[in-house]
Amino acid sequence: MSEPLLLFRGIEKSFAGNQILKNVNLSIYPGKCILLSGKNGSGKSTLLKIIAGLETPSKAEIEFSGKSHSWKSVIRSIRKNIIYLHQQPYLLSGTVVSNVAYGLRFTHLNRTQRSDSLKEALEWAGLADVANKQAKTLSGGVQQRVAFTRAWILKPKVLLLDEPMANMDYESRMQACDLLKRMKSEGMSIVVTGHDADIFDGLTDKHFHLTEGKLES
Amino acid sequence: MEGMLISTQQALHMLLTGDSELWSIVMLSFSVSFKAIILTTPPAMVVAYSLANGNFPGNKIVLAVFNSLLSVPTVVIGLLLYVLLTRQGPFGDLRLLFTQTAMVIGQMMLCFPILVALGYAAINAADRRVKETSITLGAPWWFTMLTVLYEVRFGLLAAVLTGFGRIISEVGISMMVGGNILGYTRNITTAIALETSKGEFAQGIALGIVLLLLAFMLTAFLTYVQGKQEITA
Ligand SMILES: Nc1ncnc2c1ncn2[C@@H]1O[C@H](COP(=O)(O)OP(=O)(O)O)[C@@H](O)[C@H]1O
Ligand SMILES: [Mg+2]
């Protein structure tokens, strides 16, 4: 296998004295997909949020390009390339377009490039028809697709998906799976959590199980 | 009793015929309180957001201080500001005592803790996914703040309305640092106090009606806004 993109080492996390993660190591390889399973409350979401820089670990190191850094010192710069998607996405007030375009203003794209990529993204996800609808009024499956799209449009190197299929009907799952495959084929690294390995058939390259704070393969 | 009736009749007449002195007093009240609320809202929201999101030490203590400031009587704020602004006081050279500016400053001091405390409650009730979504999509901290504030805008509007209702109906600060000068610093509440003490009830009653109507409208609007807040939350 090629060099890992990012290597998280020795992640520890406690909530109020209760240790959730114990010395967890995770390597993320470019263009590969990791499935993280584990019981409810085993710490899957916490682990993803630490990787995304949304939750502070008690301890963690991040290794890339052959050097090791403390989580704290580099997370702000590396989290620009990492996007975390909630199990139940939160769509912001406003239309589908405004949601999908949210992160574009923080990129270096100019106005024309932004509107081009916006158009492309809406087509890509089949959201053109609902582009001007209020995002919060849409069904769960469509909301999830909006959330995928507003992440995909930013072309992150790593996507962290927290139980993306948990609240979906069969058809939405197939659509979501299709979107994920296309993201992966574009070279994005994906970490996905879930209980059911079957849903992600043909998508995952590695499978880890989180139990009692430890990661097992 | 009969005098009261006549006064009320006169009051209604003043209101309906657009008595110019009466309406200029009303406008002055609005002008001062609008300035105060508009100048206070942005910094109060930033403070409320920092208290809700920062994990700096003493966070809870600062919040407790703001909560206790909610019950400071207006005459105490008026007294404090008077002492600061009087000729011999530390800011005496600014010549601000008995000006509208002094009234604005006093009303800002009165509504700042209200906006912080109520703003904090609204922001603290925000879904934590809002902040996480904003950060993960690459927003800098200040844009994340604006995003969170926008998501809880109805709660914040409710806070602003409450603050406005408080300052437009206060009398202690306006009386002490405004001085109740006709055409310059006389507002609704100080006019009512003065006219009543002179035994001239008509204008007082008319202004009282304006203030009551305003209070009803604010409350109705507040109820509407709070309904909105529950729907969007
Ligand atoms: N902000 C928090 N404060 C306190 N405890 C938390 C917090 N977030 C998660 N936990 C606890 O950490 C454990 C792991 O939670 P989580 O990472 O959400 O698990 P999973 O995603 O695998 O269901 C749970 O016991 C949960 O109650
Ligand atoms: Mg979870």
Side-chain angles (χ1 to χ4, degrees):
Chain A
M1 233 181 211
S2 58
E3 280 277 289
L5 192 63
L6 291 167
L7 212 162
F8 288 81
R9 234 192 248 289
I11 301 178
E12 312 248 333
K13 177 70 185 177
S14 304
F15 283 116
N18 188 9
Q19 195 163 14
I20 306 296
L21 299 172
K22 296 171 190 154
N23 193 22
V24 169
N25 301 316
L26 189 71
S27 315
I28 296 172
Y29 289 89
K32 299 286 178 199
C33 178
I34 298 169
L35 172 65
L36 252 176
S37 60
K39 284 200 296 257
N40 265 338
S42 59
K44 303 182 296 296
S45 300
T46 305
L47 178 55
L48 290 192
K49 286 186 184 181
I50 288 171
I51 295 172
L54 300 174
E55 188 83 74
T56 315
S58 317
K59 236 177 76 194
E61 300 273 314
I62 308 176
E63 207 176 297
F64 54 86
S65 345
K67 278 210 193 88
S68 187
H69 312 262
S70 75
W71 178 92
K72 211 178 159 170
S73 64
V74 290
I75 193 65
R76 269 173 187 279
S77 58
I78 71 156
R79 78 177 174 196
K80 292 195 175 76
N81 300 306
I82 303 176
I83 295 184
Y84 170 85
L85 280 100
H86 290 95
Q87 175 171 356
Q88 296 209 5
Y90 186 99
L91 296 193
L92 300 161
S93 305
T95 59
V96 168
V97 185
S98 72
N99 269 277
V100 173
Y102 184 86
L104 281 180
R105 52 167 78 77
F106 316 120
T107 64
H108 298 297
L109 302 180
N110 66 32
R111 193 181 283 247
T112 8
Q113 289 168 323
R114 280 186 218 176
S115 86
D116 287 349
S117 77
L118 190 55
K119 231 160 98 196
E120 184 201 6
L122 292 169
E123 290 293 329
W124 177 84
L127 289 170
D129 295 341
V130 294
N132 291 311
K133 287 229 162 73
Q134 288 300 309
K136 290 192 199 220
T137 64
L138 300 168
S139 73
V142 181
Q143 291 205 14
Q144 190 67 270
R145 242 187 308 151
V146 174
F148 280 171
T149 314
R150 93 184 152 182
W152 175 82
I153 196 171
L154 299 173
K155 309 283 188 250
K157 293 206 174 79
V158 182
L159 263 178
L160 309 173
L161 303 153
D162 205 348
E163 306 195 34
M165 310 295 188
N167 307 298
M168 285 189 183
D169 57 25
Y170 180 75
E171 196 185 345
S172 305
R173 280 183 184 186
M174 297 317 288
Q175 284 178 345
C177 227
D178 176 53
L179 290 186
L180 288 184
K181 277 180 187 151
R182 278 152 63 189
M183 288 174 174
K184 196 184 151 191
S185 70
E186 292 169 32
M188 288 182 194
S189 310
I190 297 175
V191 184
V192 62
T193 66
H195 305 281
D196 192 356
D198 297 347
I199 309 176
F200 304 102
D201 222 14
L203 190 69
T204 53
D205 303 296
K206 257 191 182 168
H207 182 175
F208 293 107
H209 191 72
L210 191 58
T211 177
E212 288 171 7
K214 295 216 162 73
L215 208 54
E216 297 165 350
S217 48
Chain B
M1 194 60 220
E2 201 176 322
M4 207 57 199
L5 254 162
I6 294 170
S7 299
T8 309
Q9 257 176 12
Q10 285 173 341
L12 290 175
H13 187 255
M14 285 169 110
L15 282 174
L16 297 173
T17 55
D19 182 85
S20 71
E21 185 182 310
L22 181 105
W23 286 108
S24 71
I25 290 172
V26 171
M27 288 323 289
L28 197 146
S29 253
F30 271 88
S31 159
V32 166
S33 296
F34 261 127
K35 280 178 197 148
I37 202 84
I38 283 171
L39 289 171
T40 310
T41 300
M45 291 307 136
V46 172
V47 170
Y49 182 82
S50 313
L51 287 174
N53 288 284
N55 33 16
F56 52 89
N59 208 337
K60 289 278 175 286
I61 296 169
V62 176
L63 190 67
V65 168
F66 275 109
N67 277 320
S68 54
L69 286 177
L70 289 177
S71 50
V72 173
T74 54
V75 284
V76 173
I77 297 176
L79 173 67
L80 174 69
L81 198 54
Y82 191 101
V83 169
L84 291 174
L85 296 182
T86 190
R87 279 295 181 79
Q88 297 80 23
F91 299 103
D93 292 343
L94 298 175
R95 300 282 167 90
L96 286 176
L97 196 59
F98 306 137
T99 62
Q100 287 186 20
T101 308
M103 295 163 77
V104 171
I105 295 170
Q107 293 193 356
M108 287 173 71
M109 290 164 72
L110 177 58
C111 69
F112 191 76
I114 299 175
L115 293 193
V116 170
L118 297 182
Y120 172 87
I123 294 164
N124 212 31
D127 196 314
R128 73 176 276 196
R129 289 175 301 166
V130 177
K131 190 181 171 194
E132 291 175 343
T133 300
S134 176
I135 292 174
T136 207
L137 294 174
W141 69 269
W142 61 270
F143 202 92
T144 298
M145 176 177 78
L146 293 179
T147 303
V148 173
L149 295 181
Y150 186 71
E151 290 300 309
V152 298
R153 60 194 173 283
F154 294 111
L156 299 182
L157 183 55
V160 169
L161 290 174
T162 305
F164 186 75
R166 181 79 182 91
I167 59 176
I168 199 150
S169 60
E170 73 80 28
V171 57
I173 295 167
S174 297
M175 190 65 92
M176 292 176 76
V177 302
N180 197 20
I181 305 161
L182 179 62
Y184 185 51
T185 57
R186 182 171 301 172
N187 64 7
I188 298 178
T189 53
T190 60
I192 293 175
L194 177 77
E195 296 298 312
T196 307
S197 68
K198 289 196 307 193
E200 300 271 349
F201 294 117
Q203 196 188 56
I205 292 171
L207 290 168
I209 291 172
V210 172
L211 211 49
L212 270 178
L213 282 178
L214 178 74
F216 288 144
M217 284 183 334
L218 277 177
T219 309
F221 192 33
L222 199 58
T223 311
Y224 167 78
V225 163
Q226 278 160 346
K228 276 275 198 191
Q229 185 186 348
E230 271 154 34
I231 293 165
T232 51

